[in-house]
Amino acid sequence: MCHPADPTSHPHAHSHNHVAHDARASRRDCLRIMSSALAGASLLELAYHRAAWARAAAPASDDALFTIQKVTGGVYFAHAHPQAMINCNAAIFVRSKDVVVVDAHSKPSAAAALIQQIQREVTPKPVRYVINTHFHWDHTLGNQAYRATGHPVDFIASNTTKQLMSEFSVARLKASIDGIPAQVDKLRDRAARSSDPAEKAFCDEQIRQLQAYAVELRDFHLELPTITFDTSYVLPDPAFDLHVEFHGHSHTAGDVFVLCPQARAIATGDAIHGFLPNIADGYPRTWPSTIDSVARADFKFQLGGHGPYQTDRTVMTCQRNYIEELTSRVADAKQSGLSLAEIEQRITVASLRSLQSNGYQDFLIRTRDESEPHFGPVVRLQDGVNANIRDVLANLDHV
């Protein structure tokens, strides 16, 4: 893994948390990875950044990727619209002189579209900090657009997230791009077999988005975090403070949460959100206790990485209980010697008490229906549970 280069202490970090403020890039092990400051870039790099920003800000860009909702004073929620290559939501904190954005989407043009939308709908203040809650592509690949604005910007993440970005981001991006031709072929076949003009148009739009994604990301440069920490990091400001905190392994090994005590708002990335949890890189045994740790904070508004934001803790509690119940049942089934097929037959949506409690099943179906285009593939909730079963089985030993 790539480790932070030349770590030094930072004045806003708690000294016991070993904060590393990286002013120089770590280029080891990663193809075309860059995290050098714009002010120190070469003329060629400057030209590249300006051209990338110009392309992203061109009229052809999709400027309807998010709906920005005011949550409370100084706090906004950018709810991502459905896309062929999914974007995450973003939490937006407007401070006295600048803006902090949590998470950066699946491509630079999406982040550039959000930057423009913030300037139009929220504030002309520049984005000074971008916080990556974890290393997944739909939360980090847009970092580049913030660097390309020319304003000073730092990217904040846990040390573990930086390491995971360094190790996996480029390889996973390449794999996703390599898989696009097969997706395009399936959509073309689907359109050819359909007699519905609206479904044909849907397939054509999905193909357009996939091909545009492949072109945009073909020569991608990853912006690594410039400020990293182990446990907690504080961004003080006269408007309000932001506490960036690691509470334990959950969705990934490095997820962080962004708490604004004065506004009683917390951004939770994909560790707590409005979709069925993704456990592919997860820690199913420790995830519930991580949510318990987060729940001890004083907040009213919970801004997740996908799905709508929440004004109470119902969904958070339901997700926690679902992960705990599913993990326990998968572990018991494995110990009994059941095969994967037998486990999937035994653990059904109807049999999971956590899905039946407090309307959680209906909420997941509703948010799924709202987040997918009308002509998108219908994914049964059981299919999602089966995917979770497979991931829990693979990750039971993650601690």
Side-chain angles (χ1 to χ4, degrees):
M1 295 187 198
C2 296
H3 294 278
D6 300 320
T8 58
S9 63
H10 192 276
H12 298 323
H14 296 306
S15 59
H16 63 281
N17 290 328
H18 312 295
V19 175
H21 187 169
D22 298 324
R24 292 174 292 282
S26 174
R27 299 176 182 268
R28 187 176 60 211
D29 300 332
C30 310
L31 296 174
R32 292 195 298 263
I33 289 181
M34 56 187 299
S35 62
S36 57
L38 188 62
S42 68
L43 290 176
L44 182 61
E45 288 171 328
L46 282 169
Y48 174 83
H49 281 301
R50 298 302 185 193
W53 176 256
R55 288 194 302 273
S61 308
D62 188 347
D63 61 354
L65 295 179
F66 305 92
T67 296
I68 296 183
Q69 303 164 320
K70 184 172 182 179
V71 177
T72 188
V75 182
Y76 297 79
F77 182 68
H79 195 179
H81 296 177
Q83 287 279 290
M85 302 298 281
I86 191 171
N87 286 313
C88 67
N89 300 326
I92 302 163
F93 296 94
V94 180
R95 310 197 308 164
S96 57
K97 295 181 180 179
D98 54 35
V99 176
V100 178
V101 174
V102 180
D103 284 327
H105 322 305
S106 64
K107 55 188 177 180
S109 61
L114 180 61
I115 293 168
Q116 289 188 312
Q117 196 172 350
I118 291 171
Q119 292 175 339
R120 289 196 309 268
E121 300 179 20
V122 179
T123 178
K125 298 174 183 178
V127 175
R128 178 64 184 84
Y129 296 97
V130 175
I131 300 170
N132 298 134
T133 59
H134 62 289
F135 80 98
H136 285 165
W137 60 282
D138 58 319
H139 293 250
T140 59
L141 298 191
N143 281 0
Q144 177 184 313
Y146 290 93
R147 178 74 72 206
T149 64
H151 295 292
V153 62
D154 276 297
F155 304 97
I156 302 174
S158 66
N159 280 313
T160 300
T161 288
K162 179 173 182 175
Q163 294 168 355
L164 292 169
M165 288 174 67
S166 299
E167 184 170 2
F168 293 114
S169 291
V170 171
R172 289 193 179 186
L173 173 60
K174 183 179 184 302
S176 70
I177 292 176
D178 288 346
I180 285 177
Q183 296 179 62
V184 169
D185 288 343
K186 288 181 181 179
L187 284 163
R188 284 175 174 159
D189 181 63
R190 178 178 165 185
R193 289 184 284 104
S194 176
S195 59
D196 187 341
E199 184 170 6
K200 288 179 179 290
F202 166 78
C203 291
D204 288 343
E205 174 59 18
Q206 294 293 289
I207 290 170
R208 182 195 70 78
Q209 291 182 21
L210 287 168
Q211 291 176 334
Y213 184 88
V215 170
E216 178 179 351
L217 277 296
R218 186 168 52 202
D219 296 317
F220 176 73
H221 294 258
L222 178 65
E223 289 283 352
L224 287 171
T226 55
I227 298 174
T228 61
F229 61 93
D230 285 334
T231 306
S232 64
Y233 186 86
V234 178
L235 287 172
D237 187 82
F240 46 66
D241 301 326
L242 295 177
H243 297 253
V244 190
E245 302 175 340
F246 174 76
H247 284 261
H249 293 161
S250 54
H251 175 60
T252 72
D255 296 79
V256 298
F257 302 83
V258 184
L259 174 68
C260 180
Q262 292 91 334
R264 299 187 66 211
I266 189 168
T268 56
D270 287 0
I272 306 171
H273 65 23
F275 286 0
L276 204 64
N278 180 340
I279 312 178
D281 292 309
Y283 292 73
R285 290 192 189 273
T286 59
W287 197 336
S289 62
T290 297
I291 295 178
D292 289 342
S293 176
V294 173
R296 288 193 281 271
D298 179 20
F299 61 87
K300 176 182 179 182
F301 307 103
Q302 183 253 309
L303 287 59
H306 299 281
Y309 78 88
Q310 304 298 310
T311 57
D312 61 35
R313 303 184 182 212
T314 302
V315 172
M316 177 182 71
T317 303
C318 287
Q319 179 183 325
R320 178 239 181 261
N321 292 342
Y322 166 74
I323 295 169
E324 183 177 65
E325 180 185 11
L326 185 68
T327 301
S328 175
R329 292 189 59 182
V330 169
D332 289 345
K334 179 183 179 181
Q335 189 170 5
S336 299
L338 298 183
S339 68
L340 173 61
E342 290 171 328
I343 297 174
E344 290 178 348
Q345 288 177 353
R346 174 176 291 190
I347 303 177
T348 63
V349 168
S351 75
L352 287 162
R353 288 175 297 175
S354 53
L355 285 178
Q356 309 309 318
S357 300
N358 296 310
Y360 190 41
Q361 175 181 336
D362 291 340
F363 170 81
L364 291 172
I365 293 172
R366 185 170 66 253
T367 56
R368 180 201 67 196
D369 291 344
E370 290 172 354
S371 68
E372 292 179 356
H374 178 66
F375 294 103
V378 176
V379 180
R380 296 183 306 123
L381 186 56
Q382 185 64 53
D383 294 333
V385 170
N386 288 347
N388 283 166
I389 289 170
R390 293 191 293 271
D391 291 334
V392 168
L393 198 59
N395 296 337
L396 274 173
D397 294 332
H398 283 190
V399 293

